[in-house]
Amino acid sequence: MAKKTPGEHAATIASGYAFEGEVIHLGAALVDGEIHAEAQVRLPLSMMNRHGLVAGATGTGKTITLQVMAEQLSSLGVPVFLSDIKGDLTGLSSPGTASEKLLARTASVGMDWSATGFPVEYLALGGDGTGVPIRATIASFGPLLLSRVMDLNETQESCLQLIFHYADTKELELYDLKDLRAVITFLSSAEGRVELEGLGGVSKATAGVILRGLVTLEAQGMDRFFGEPEFETAELLRMAPDGRGVISCLELPTMMQKPALFSTFMIWLLADLFAELPEVGDSDKPTLVFFLDEAHLLFNGASKAFLTSITTTVRLIRSKGVGIFFVTQTPKDIPSDVLGQLANRIQHALRAFTPDDAKALKATISTFPTSDYDLEEALTQAGTGEAVVTVMNEKGAPTPVAWTRMRSPQSTMGPSAPDTIAQVLAASALMGVYGTAVDRVSAFERLNAAPPVTVPTAQAPASTGGSVGGGVPAAGQSQGDIDAEARRIEESILGRPSSLSTSASSPGTSGHARPETPTRAPTPATETAGNPLMDMALQAANALGGELLRGMFGTKRRRRR
């Protein structure tokens, strides 16, 4: 095949990345070291739920790429969830600072740059950080996921299921680790063994293994994750009052020391979303997009059961409109079963300093489509802020490989000032809903007659909009505004009738311009309106499907407001 001229090569890239629908702009193509601004490299918004990989050596610009994509998704009204281990992504809250060098770079790639801050909600696992504490109850987490986290064998897992069953039948609420410990201790006592005589019982040896597993979880910091108030995953689906998607930024300052805590949280979060979200098929835009930075920490030392859960979730959650992008150093950090599900690739520079590095480089090259580039040269000589890109086009085929000069963020590159972070947290309505740790009367108190304890924290209004889980409006919002947002999530995203009355209050009385609900393709429910029997059948099918999905992960349905 004759070698293409630089102009022909650039034209091939330009036509390969020309899409009809909305797109995420990544940058401009580089051919023979020259930038071709007319050859724009883009990612179709409708293909974001086909998942992706952002990889590259330390310092090559992976986190900045993540930031650029999150900004554009937010601007297009798509909520984003991202993990922030180094604290660099707090800069999304603050408008960037213009400089002569920055403006020259952005102009060279065809970008009309302007300083912009974005609606960001800071979250923290169990309060391990400065953000809004995220907690889950032991009951909603369920015995299957808990067994997988503790790496229990089949016999121990069945005993844990028996313990949960007993707690349910006796109305012993399992909110935190001490509740579960109290029930296990009781059932392994002489008095408790009588209670389980008809169900097989729990041996002292098995109870001891599970109790030691709970001690290990506490040592890894999970005692702060399990508890109340439980975080509503619907909070991740919000849009800000100005119509932009809310960026939920999860602080992970101690993930290096507590990788199991993050793994546990991700299992629970993805399982809950997987069970709650309806099937949307091929939609014009994703419902939610995840960016998991330093993803190798998610898989390091992970149990086989966890890897199986993640692989299954990544494979199936696409049809729910959820996209997952893993951000790591090399593709080999991601298990092959997961890597095979990632259709969009943004590969920053790789370093080949050792024989193992050289082997990894060759393996990476082999995963790209046939290219007009010398991929070994491209992957080893790409500069900071450059990447080799191939994505899935709107027809489901890979695009031409493009050596790309990436765009720059419009927000601050690096952490926001401490005062800015404090201001965002002070304005968060979620802090008022989830910031106060609550220890209600539950299994521990019922079995030990101990009084409940409440740890107070401050409440403040929100700049990202109110809490749909708690029904709390933000500063400048009316109750009608937050009720309208809750109805939008329930009806347009979760695909079920809202529990809120449409006549209770009128949205928009605060002066905010409410975003219009995105138009979706007609569903069977809308097409059969007016047929009561068909409506009832569809509702029953949706409910049954949700319960089957929950059964796969062993999680428990939570009561929504």
Side-chain angles (χ1 to χ4, degrees), residues 526-540:
T526 58
E527 293 172 352
T528 58
N531 186 336
L533 291 177
M534 184 62 72
D535 290 343
M536 290 175 62
L538 287 171
Q539 290 177 12

Side-chain angles (χ1 to χ4, degrees), residues 9-21:
H9 191 177
T12 299
I13 293 173
S15 62
Y17 288 86
F19 305 119
E20 295 181 359

Side-chain angles (χ1 to χ4, degrees), residues 130-412:
T130 58
V132 176
I134 292 182
R135 304 179 185 88
T137 64
I138 287 285
S140 74
F141 201 74
L144 295 183
L145 290 184
L146 198 59
S147 297
R148 293 175 184 180
V149 170
M150 294 194 292
D151 201 19
L152 301 181
N153 62 32
E154 291 184 4
T155 300
Q156 294 156 356
E157 179 181 318
S158 65
C159 287
L160 188 59
Q161 290 178 342
L162 179 60
I163 291 166
F164 271 71
H165 173 73
Y166 174 81
D168 278 344
T169 57
K170 298 298 182 181
E171 297 185 351
L172 295 172
E173 299 86 353
L174 300 177
Y175 295 144
D176 50 29
L177 290 178
K178 74 177 188 305
D179 290 328
L180 182 56
R181 183 187 297 109
V183 174
I184 296 172
T185 301
F186 171 73
L187 292 178
S188 59
S189 67
E191 181 183 357
R193 282 198 295 272
V194 176
E195 297 276 342
L196 291 180
E197 281 183 352
L199 298 175
V202 177
S203 70
K204 282 192 174 182
T206 300
V209 170
I210 299 175
L211 288 172
R212 288 192 294 273
L214 297 183
V215 171
T216 301
L217 295 184
E218 288 183 333
Q220 294 173 338
M222 292 190 208
D223 55 329
R224 302 179 68 185
F225 170 61
F226 289 116
E228 287 194 305
E230 185 171 71
F231 187 77
E232 280 278 359
T233 51
E235 307 285 12
L236 304 179
L237 306 174
R238 294 177 299 146
M239 288 198 295
D242 61 7
R244 292 183 293 176
V246 172
I247 300 174
S248 300
C249 182
L250 179 67
E251 301 175 83
L252 295 167
T254 61
M255 183 175 171
M256 300 289 187
Q257 295 79 33
K258 304 174 183 178
L261 178 59
F262 181 51
S263 300
T264 301
F265 166 71
M266 287 308 304
I267 292 176
W268 171 78
L269 178 61
L270 290 174
D272 195 73
L273 286 169
F274 188 66
E276 286 294 312
L277 290 171
E279 297 282 337
V280 297
D282 295 325
S283 59
D284 292 336
K285 65 167 61 176
T287 303
L288 174 67
V289 176
F290 283 82
F291 290 96
L292 304 180
D293 199 6
E294 302 294 347
H296 62 282
L297 296 176
L298 183 65
F299 298 105
N300 284 352
S303 67
K304 183 179 179 181
F306 171 75
L307 295 178
T308 300
S309 297
I310 283 289
T311 302
T312 303
T313 302
V314 170
R315 183 179 294 120
L316 299 178
I317 206 169
R318 177 187 70 78
S319 63
K320 306 282 187 171
V322 176
I324 304 174
F325 280 69
F326 296 94
V327 185
T328 188
Q329 295 190 8
T330 70
K332 69 178 184 179
D333 293 334
I334 308 297
S336 58
D337 287 344
V338 176
L339 189 62
Q341 307 298 319
L342 311 182
N344 302 301
R345 299 280 298 277
I346 301 174
Q347 179 68 60
H348 288 268
L350 290 173
R351 308 298 182 222
F353 297 139
T354 69
D356 285 343
D357 290 341
K359 187 182 298 184
L361 174 62
K362 289 182 179 180
T364 300
I365 292 172
S366 68
T367 63
F368 278 90
T370 303
S371 171
D372 293 317
Y373 291 103
D374 179 342
L375 286 180
E376 184 171 352
E377 176 188 0
L379 290 174
T380 55
Q381 297 186 17
T384 300
E386 297 176 1
V388 176
V389 177
T390 180
V391 303
M392 183 174 284
N393 66 23
E394 292 169 318
K395 296 180 180 179
T399 57
V401 175
W403 187 342
T404 307
R405 177 73 58 85
M406 304 296 288
R407 291 195 172 202
S408 301
Q410 295 177 288
S411 56
T412 297

